[in-house]
Amino acid sequence: MPPANTRLPLIPYPRSAVLTGGTCALNKATRVLFESGPHDLASWAAPMLDLLRRGTGLALPIAPALSGPTHTSITVGHLDGQPAEAYTLEITEAGVVLRAGDREGLIWGLQTLRQLLPAEVERPLPRVAADPGRPDGNLRPRPADWLPPPGKPSPWPTATLGEDAGGQGRGQRNAASAAAATAAQPAPHPVWSLPCLQIADQPRYAWRGLLLDSCRHFQQVAAIERLIDLMSLHKLNRLHWHLTEDQGWRLEIKTRPLLTEVGAWRLDSDGVRYGGFYTQEEARHVVAYAAARGITVVPEIELPGHCRAALAAYPELSCRGIALPVETAWGVFPDIYCAGNDAVFSFLEEVLTEVLDLFPSPFIHLGGDECPPDRWSECPRCRERMAREGLRDADELRGWFVRQIATWLAERGRRAIGWDEVLAGELAAGTIVQSWRGFAGATEARRRGHDAIVSPISHVYLDQDVAQVGLETVLGFEPEDPRGESASLAGSAGRTLGGEMCVWTEWIPQAVLDERVFPRACGGSEALWSPPPSGGARRRDVAEFRARLVNHSQRLRALGVAGLQASRL
Ligand SMILES: [Zn+2]
């Protein structure tokens, strides 16, 4: 590995990168050439090429290269025999040659090329409303005596007027200053310079996720597109979309219209009707937008708990059958789906049939967490179910419940994911366990032959204050238990697929998403993509990473990402 001062300004850092000396200039004469082969490379590259065209102001036509020393080319070709998502990038004075074996690898290679260009290549991402869940789109007014709960971020942006915060709390002013900035922009650079180099890159982990909770606070589609763009820039490849909760059901289900007519809306404590949902058309758009940027959208439909919004719409699916409003407080609530009522399973299968149609993801998240036993132990139908199925307690009943749906998914070619509480019961074959209460759930899952996704509160919950989960903690995240579980599990059938950063939004309206996610997600992308600490080191070189991050933050600021004050880097 070269000394820190020769490291390239890339996040996450590639597996192998060697500077070879000299530069390559992209200019008006630069052409793009796609080699023929088994895949439609041009369509895979189209969104990223458009982005480079807009950023550089160059036409970058798809055409054979012209001859002559100033006529550089970008050649895109196939790469065989490499792992998923791998790419190679070679830059010489004559041009750029990018090779990849799949769409994701091609996109990651183009993202690396983008990061090698100066920050001036970036154009601001569209701004979004402060909180689209409120009728006026603005943030809830801040009470005069309000202080954030201990350990929780403020739902109001920390930046003051005139700073680089996103959000539309300052809507008119932002629009005006953005227009002024556009008008003041100099003409595009005639020449964009790249360093000559050779990169061979592939991810450390296949699962590099980010969870977005769209239930506690609602985000508009434009805000999700913005997050997807920023995830793709960092080679994060799984958007875990938390769509159903106690406080809101956010996905249109055509056979069950009350889920969104009733379940998408709550009466908040200040008397405002809060909510929103995604139409099926919008969900399909998000899936396609993400796929074009290398990202799989993994929907989460929570069961058997965290379903008060669904029960508000269809009270007959609960044990008591009584009408309850969509929940407005945060926490864990006793009313859940009745495990003894066959209609509950018909309902869930109807919902999931539409979900499978919308989301081609091989993975569907079923939740399975925080499911109190109170109602089930009092419910005659649930007790009868337990007796009939030979289940001893509510934990076993929960396991049975999740297993029914996971098996149903498996019969349709999809794999269920559950939070680590699902380990209390027997798991359906192929179920993936997401370990959030530390690392032990992942160890146990692997011991039992199941794959694991690791997302411990202690390391990657980005709703935690930076005092608890700081940039250094996220950068230092090692999905495999640092206490050496790997060795003891040699020969186990279960694998660690990777890790996932979680953005639960109880205290995070979309106006503050930027500063909750960044710059910590930059550290998380390095942890999940880049090779582990080298040379026997147990930790990554934080100072070296910070030096790259300071450089990288210019790019993020140019994109309009808020919360990148020097003190936070
Ligand atoms: Zn029941």
Side-chain angles (χ1 to χ4, degrees), residues 321-373:
I322 60 172
L324 292 165
V326 175
E327 186 53 65
T328 58
W330 314 134
V332 178
F333 303 95
D335 284 283
I336 59 179
Y337 292 122
C338 177
N341 182 354
D342 288 341
V344 164
F345 295 91
S346 310
F347 164 83
L348 289 169
E349 288 171 12
E350 274 177 46
V351 167
L352 285 166
T353 297
E354 295 190 35
V355 168
L356 298 194
D357 190 44
L358 294 170
F359 296 91
S361 163
F363 317 98
I364 305 290
H365 209 301
L366 297 178
D369 59 315
E370 298 185 324
C371 179

Side-chain angles (χ1 to χ4, degrees), residues 319 338 379 382:
C319 288
C338 177
C379 170
C382 285

